[in-house]
Amino acid sequence: MSIIATIAAPTLGLDQGVEFDAAVIGKLSQPGPPYTSYPTADRFTPAFGFGNFLEALAALRMRGGRRPLSLYIHIPFCETLCYYCSCSKIVTKDRGKAATYLSYLKQEIAMQGKLFGGMNQIAQLRFGGGTPTYLSERQMDDLMNHLRHNFEFADDDVGEYAIEVDPRTVSPERVHALRRQGFNRISLGIQDFDAQVQLAVNRVQSEEHTLAVIDAARAAGFRSVSIDLIYGLPKQTMASMEQTMAKVVAAGPDRIALYNYAHLPRLFKSQRRIVEADLPGAQLKLDMLGLCVARLTAAGYVYIGMDHFAKPNDELAVAQRQGRLQRSFQSYSTRSDSDLIACGVSAISSVGAVYSQNEETLDAYYERLDEGKLPIARGIKLDTDDLLRRIIIQLLMCNFELSIESIEQTHPIEFHQYFAAELAKLEPFVADGLVTIDRQWLSVTPRGRLLIRSICMVFDSHLAAAAKEKPTRARRTPKTI
């Protein structure tokens, strides 16, 4: 049965209405990359090395000026295993491992600080994991002081400094400490409020404690509170999802990330502990998505794109209306065209026309740093076609539209000719009223916005090449929200 819900959220400028049509989504939705980069991480190659990174850095210096940078710090440790998780993580109760890791992480931070000397003002910082609050308050103090010693940070009222938090690992007092340490945005992993669902995925946290952490964040003066939810988990039902969404709306976070659980036990060992018979079927998952979209937009949240919603006055929604929104390994962000330095095991940097990823195991990460080298394991240098397609995918992901005339003015192409094959693949989306194309604009309609991933996949020239290759193990990347 087709469920159609249309809700227009209050906006200034860009129409942020989103329309949920179960029949169309069921027909055209397909698994694909989240496009936190283009090309995606599975295209990275070991042939890329430190020299390629230095070339990109030199090109950045030649551009002149002192553009603000983004900085990502990966803390891979977790105390317990969440069965659904596919992130790059290390589950251990041995706190000594974190102390060793921090000594090496500080080496990498110091190396990057020197490389970016003279242009190292940080306007955006994100701690991800794993569980960043696995670190003690004292360890976090030391790490933040080290970062400030090696980089210049924008003032608190200008910079965006975020940390991911597992509510089970913090008290209200620790939340206040995080604010004193310089963080002004906080993202909380909730996934589901239902006790049975929490037990089925080995992530039990009380509603009372989670709400106390949210209240503490507000009392401490965090500018934005974000929460993560997942639909498609074992034991979830429409009734349980309805209750969870009611609690989420009542809590009123500034941003919400609503992720679709992908059950891939062959790739991720932790997921083998999930009882497959407890998983909701495809139609039920689709109904859950429709329910969540309806509840959030009815409560006034703006659909940002992909999995993300925000209140209309949140800086994420404001950046989208002003055309400043960017999609990167930090997910959606307010810093348009900002280069990203990423430190820590498996972390991915984006500098100019290159992506580089660090070693994925602690031993390899430590070995590179012991040699006095940046721990770069793989990466990719974008060619002219990659750069053009990256711009197109960025515009569609962030704005749901692109000006064909603007693309032609900045690139030596005739759009309809260059992308003739891609435009032909978009015809089913046009026929279903999901996309409109004329000589001047390519636009995604409110009915097509929940399929933005599938629409962007049409412009991904690497997908066809990947389909011809022998399937390989999926590469895990740091969690980004």
Side-chain angles (χ1 to χ4, degrees):
M1 180 174 66
S2 176
I3 301 174
I4 300 179
T6 306
I7 309 98
T11 63
L12 297 172
L14 181 65
D15 169 27
Q16 291 300 317
V18 59
E19 181 176 322
F20 179 86
D21 187 327
V24 169
I25 293 173
K27 179 175 71 171
L28 294 176
S29 181
Q30 54 184 314
Y35 290 114
T36 50
S37 73
Y38 181 82
T40 51
D42 58 333
R43 298 290 92 197
F44 297 178
T45 169
F48 181 97
F50 180 51
N52 301 106
F53 182 82
L54 290 180
E55 288 176 3
L57 181 57
L60 200 64
R61 287 190 180 280
M62 287 180 62
R63 283 192 283 180
R66 195 161 179 241
R67 297 193 314 159
L69 300 169
S70 293
L71 181 61
Y72 174 76
I73 304 297
H74 189 61
I75 307 298
F77 302 104
C78 294
E79 188 169 304
T80 59
L81 178 67
C82 301
Y83 295 163
Y84 56 81
C85 186
S86 61
C87 298
S88 180
K89 62 192 177 296
I90 298 166
V91 180
T92 179
K93 295 183 183 295
D94 181 0
R95 300 285 167 164
K97 290 187 176 182
T100 301
Y101 179 74
L102 284 174
S103 68
Y104 282 96
L105 178 64
K106 288 164 69 175
Q107 288 183 47
E108 184 188 6
I109 289 168
M111 293 170 72
Q112 293 282 21
K114 289 179 181 178
L115 286 172
F116 283 85
M119 55 177 186
N120 62 351
Q121 185 182 67
I122 303 300
Q124 186 176 51
L125 169 71
R126 187 173 190 89
F127 272 58
T131 306
T133 44
Y134 184 93
L135 302 182
S136 69
E137 184 176 334
R138 184 174 181 177
Q139 287 174 322
M140 188 66 77
D141 268 329
D142 179 60
L143 181 54
M144 290 299 292
N145 287 335
H146 185 73
L147 285 168
R148 292 190 180 97
H149 178 75
N150 286 278
F151 291 93
E152 177 187 340
F153 283 76
D155 292 341
D156 180 77
D157 60 344
V158 175
E160 181 177 294
Y161 307 130
I163 184 167
E164 296 175 10
V165 169
D166 178 345
R168 300 173 299 173
T169 67
V170 296
S171 63
E173 292 75 20
R174 179 74 192 274
V175 173
H176 282 264
L178 291 171
R179 184 68 184 99
R180 290 195 300 271
Q181 287 163 341
F183 297 102
N184 55 29
R185 280 171 176 72
I186 191 168
S187 175
L188 308 178
I190 295 178
Q191 322 317 344
D192 196 304
F193 276 118
D194 185 86
Q196 282 192 314
V197 176
Q198 292 180 358
L199 189 62
V201 297
N202 198 40
R203 190 187 176 97
V204 177
Q205 59 192 64
S206 74
E207 177 184 345
E208 292 74 19
H209 180 72
T210 300
L211 294 178
V213 171
I214 293 175
D215 290 342
R218 292 197 172 108
F222 280 86
R223 294 213 305 267
S224 181
V225 178
S226 174
I227 67 169
D228 298 348
L229 301 173
I230 301 177
Y231 68 96
L233 293 175
K235 299 290 187 179
Q236 280 181 335
T237 65
M238 289 293 284
S240 72
M241 187 62 72
E242 178 76 68
Q243 292 177 350
T244 288
M245 295 310 299
K247 294 173 181 178
V248 167
V249 169
D254 301 285
R255 303 176 186 178
I256 296 169
L258 176 66
Y259 296 110
N260 170 27
Y261 171 63
H263 189 59
L264 301 169
R266 288 187 301 168
L267 298 180
F268 307 113
K269 289 177 64 176
S270 61
Q271 295 185 359
R272 297 172 193 173
R273 303 191 183 195
I274 287 177
V275 179
E276 293 196 17
D278 291 339
L279 292 169
Q283 183 58 52
L284 180 54
K285 285 182 68 176
L286 197 56
D287 291 343
M288 287 179 183
L289 174 60
L291 169 67
C292 293
V293 171
R295 294 295 177 269
L296 292 177
T297 49
Y301 286 90
V302 173
Y303 178 61
I304 300 298
M306 286 291 289
D307 327 280
H308 287 67
F309 297 79
K311 289 184 175 178
N313 60 348
D314 184 85
E315 288 187 27
L316 205 62
V318 173
Q320 186 174 59
R321 292 195 295 268
Q322 295 178 349
R324 296 185 291 107
L325 194 65
Q326 182 183 19
R327 187 154 175 83
S328 69
F329 289 107
Q330 298 190 47
S331 190
Y332 286 104
S333 71
T334 62
R335 306 292 168 177
S336 179
D337 196 26
S338 178
D339 292 286
L340 169 65
I341 308 166
C343 297
V345 64
S346 78
I348 302 175
S349 297
S350 173
V351 177
V354 307
Y355 295 112
S356 62
Q357 183 172 21
N358 283 351
E359 296 284 0
E360 292 182 298
T361 68
L362 289 181
D363 287 344
Y365 179 74
Y366 296 162
E367 182 178 350
R368 289 287 186 106
L369 288 166
D370 282 337
E371 294 170 351
K373 302 175 182 176
L374 281 181
I376 295 173
R378 62 190 59 80
I380 190 171
K381 182 177 181 180
L382 281 64
D383 61 25
T384 303
D385 181 72
D386 289 331
L387 292 168
L388 171 58
R389 292 174 186 272
R390 179 168 73 172
I391 289 171
I392 287 170
I393 289 173
Q394 276 275 331
L395 289 169
L396 293 175
M397 277 278 170
C398 297
N399 301 334
F400 300 118
E401 64 181 8
L402 62 87
S403 166
I404 293 173
E405 181 179 10
S406 294
I407 294 292
E408 292 179 337
Q409 287 176 350
T410 54
H411 296 81
I413 66 165
E414 198 286 315
F415 188 91
H416 287 80
Q417 178 180 335
Y418 191 92
F419 292 111
E422 287 79 4
L423 296 178
K425 291 178 182 178
L426 283 177
E427 288 179 1
F429 295 89
V430 174
D432 281 316
L434 312 177
V435 174
T436 62
I437 305 170
D438 57 30
R439 298 303 304 179
Q440 299 298 321
W441 290 91
L442 190 159
S443 302
V444 182
T445 69
R447 196 165 177 236
R449 289 174 181 173
L450 289 170
L451 286 162
I452 190 62
R453 181 206 307 261
S454 297
I455 293 167
C456 288
M457 286 168 67
V458 169
F459 290 95
D460 187 340
S461 65
H462 291 273
L463 277 180
K468 296 177 182 178
E469 298 174 358
K470 182 179 179 179
T472 57
R473 179 180 174 84
R475 186 172 303 288
R476 294 186 293 180
T477 58
K479 185 176 76 171
T480 54
I481 294 174

